[in-house]
Amino acid sequence: MKKMLLSIGVTLSAVTLLAGCSAGDSKKDEGKDSGKTIDELSIMFVPSKNPDDIVTATEPLSDLMKEEMKKEGYTVKDVKITVGTNYEAVGEALASGTADVGFGVPGGTYALYKDDTDVLLTATRAGLNKDSEDAKEWNDGKPTEPTDKQATSYRSLILAGPSEKGQELTKKVNAGEKLTWEDLNSAKWGLSSTTSSAGYIYPSLWLNENVDKNISDLKTTVQNDSYGSGFARLASGQVDAMPVYADARRDFEEAWKTEYGKEDIWKEVSVIGVTPAIYNDAVLVSKQSKNMDDATKKALQNALINMAKTEKGKKAIEVYSHEGYKKATDDDYASEIKAQELIKKASN
């Protein structure tokens, strides 16, 4: 009898132990399935367009991101969207961890802050019907039009405005003449921040290749806080030349007339220089962010790629002319990193 009772006791204990393990595993699995909760996801946009336009256009992004992250197993309670005062402000916010995600960040800014950030995605955009490195090929007076082919790179264009000096440079380029350092240095230039690929870095390389000078050698420059303020200065004649991304005239065609009081941007603003191709804007995440680990980064990649495939998502990102996203690596921006190093070397 004692042996029988002992056997029953052992059996019951084993059953109880197994039941306990099963319950524990169930709770563990339930926790895994429920994913992670993020109280606040901070996304900072670069001011490559008018900040007010960015805020208005991206307002739906908050709910869209919550929906897509939910599909990836994450509950995001709040998505905070802000616009940096300049490109460096976005880089600094990511470096310090006060922003989790940097949106629309040029490769040049990533190159500067690569030790503190990870690149997740690169934007894809519609290609353009003009892509020649010969500046005068862009000056037919007709709008630059998008094509149905998706592109992962773009060019920087050196524009000349309607000022007397701007028209002088345009006339020389359209005649097939090569601009000299004296031509370029006698103009007033509007520049973007030093980490802007289209507004500073690649134009500096263009100057180096064409006249053996650096952008920091220019006699008269002013820094634009956005491309919008730059076009306003170009329209008023405060600056004669300005480097921009290739489809900037298309983006500011209406503002050129309604806000800046001019007539036809395609006839009044010409291209005097074309840089080599630049890899598209990136989506970065902060290495200092408490919200970011490998699993979260992967979820964010998937969420943004899928969001961009929806009609609402496309609408939210079209302010940057983004049409989609593809996963990116550090190697994709190797040329940007090299370009940044050349700029630093030239300025020393």
Side-chain angles (χ1 to χ4, degrees):
M1 177 66 71
K2 287 182 180 179
K3 288 183 178 180
M4 183 179 295
L5 289 174
L6 180 61
S7 176
I8 293 172
V10 170
T11 302
L12 288 173
S13 297
V15 170
T16 302
L17 180 61
L18 287 172
C21 288
S22 177
D25 287 346
S26 175
K27 288 180 180 179
K28 183 177 180 181
D29 289 342
E30 182 182 351
K32 182 178 180 181
D33 290 340
S34 65
K36 178 181 178 182
T37 297
I38 298 176
D39 290 328
E40 181 182 270
L41 184 67
S42 174
I43 301 177
M44 184 174 284
F45 286 79
V46 299
S48 58
K49 301 292 177 66
N50 287 325
D52 289 343
D53 292 341
I54 295 172
V55 171
T56 300
T58 59
E59 186 176 357
L61 191 67
S62 178
D63 288 338
L64 293 172
M65 283 301 302
K66 290 177 185 178
E67 291 173 14
E68 292 299 333
M69 287 295 283
K70 189 72 173 178
K71 295 175 185 177
E72 298 297 321
Y74 284 74
T75 299
V76 180
K77 293 183 179 179
D78 184 39
V79 177
K80 179 183 177 183
I81 295 175
T82 57
V83 181
T85 53
N86 53 41
Y87 294 175
E88 289 87 348
V90 177
E92 291 296 335
L94 292 170
S96 65
T98 55
D100 301 308
V101 183
F103 212 99
V105 181
T109 306
Y110 169 59
L112 189 63
Y113 293 94
K114 64 183 178 65
D115 292 339
D116 299 304
T117 63
D118 287 317
V119 58
L120 289 191
L121 302 166
T122 188
T124 62
R125 294 185 175 103
L128 300 176
N129 63 343
K130 297 173 186 174
D131 195 43
S132 174
E133 289 194 49
D134 186 349
K136 67 177 182 293
E137 295 296 323
W138 296 73
N139 297 334
D140 57 5
K142 298 177 182 179
T144 302
E145 300 287 356
T147 67
D148 57 5
K149 182 180 179 181
Q150 290 290 293
T152 55
S153 64
Y154 65 103
R155 296 187 188 276
S156 169
L157 304 179
I158 316 297
L159 301 182
S163 67
E164 183 178 351
K165 173 58 68 172
Q167 291 303 296
E168 176 188 317
L169 298 175
T170 295
K171 185 177 179 180
K172 192 168 183 178
V173 166
N174 287 344
E177 298 179 42
K178 184 177 175 62
L179 295 177
T180 66
W181 169 241
E182 288 70 25
D183 292 328
L184 297 165
N185 197 36
S186 61
K188 300 187 294 289
W189 286 65
L191 303 174
S192 297
S193 66
T194 56
T195 67
S196 168
S197 297
Y200 195 95
I201 296 173
Y202 274 73
S204 190
L205 292 177
W206 179 84
L207 283 170
N208 187 263
E209 291 173 357
N210 285 274
V211 292
D212 197 29
K213 294 290 184 178
N214 190 280
I215 207 165
S216 59
D217 295 323
L218 290 167
K219 181 175 65 175
T220 307
T221 64
V222 60
Q223 183 172 322
N224 301 319
D225 55 11
S226 68
Y227 283 116
S229 64
F231 272 105
R233 289 190 173 110
L234 200 67
S236 67
Q238 293 179 47
V239 298
D240 307 304
M242 180 176 73
V244 298
Y245 56 96
D247 51 347
R249 287 185 296 176
R250 184 161 62 95
D251 288 343
F252 288 91
E253 180 178 10
E254 187 63 27
W256 187 255
K257 295 182 288 186
T258 59
E259 294 182 33
Y260 310 143
K262 306 303 287 185
E263 295 181 7
D264 189 339
I265 198 169
W266 303 105
K267 294 179 180 178
E268 294 171 305
V269 179
S270 301
V271 178
I272 60 171
V274 184
T275 75
I278 309 167
Y279 217 69
N280 281 348
D281 297 340
V283 176
L284 308 181
V285 294
S286 169
K287 289 182 178 179
Q288 309 303 321
S289 168
K290 295 179 180 178
N291 288 326
M292 290 298 150
D293 54 28
D294 289 342
T296 307
K297 292 173 191 175
K298 184 176 180 180
L300 189 59
Q301 281 181 320
N302 293 335
L304 284 168
I305 288 172
N306 292 329
M307 182 203 74
K309 294 177 181 178
T310 68
E311 288 303 314
K312 290 182 179 179
K314 288 181 184 295
K315 190 72 175 175
I317 62 175
E318 70 179 4
V319 67
Y320 281 102
S321 302
H322 294 181
E323 296 189 7
Y325 299 100
K326 60 175 290 188
K327 293 181 181 180
T329 67
D330 185 72
D331 290 341
D332 293 331
Y333 291 87
S335 62
E336 296 282 357
I337 295 169
K338 181 179 179 181
Q340 188 69 259
E341 291 172 351
L342 290 172
I343 292 294
K344 290 179 181 178
K345 183 178 179 181
S347 61
N348 288 337

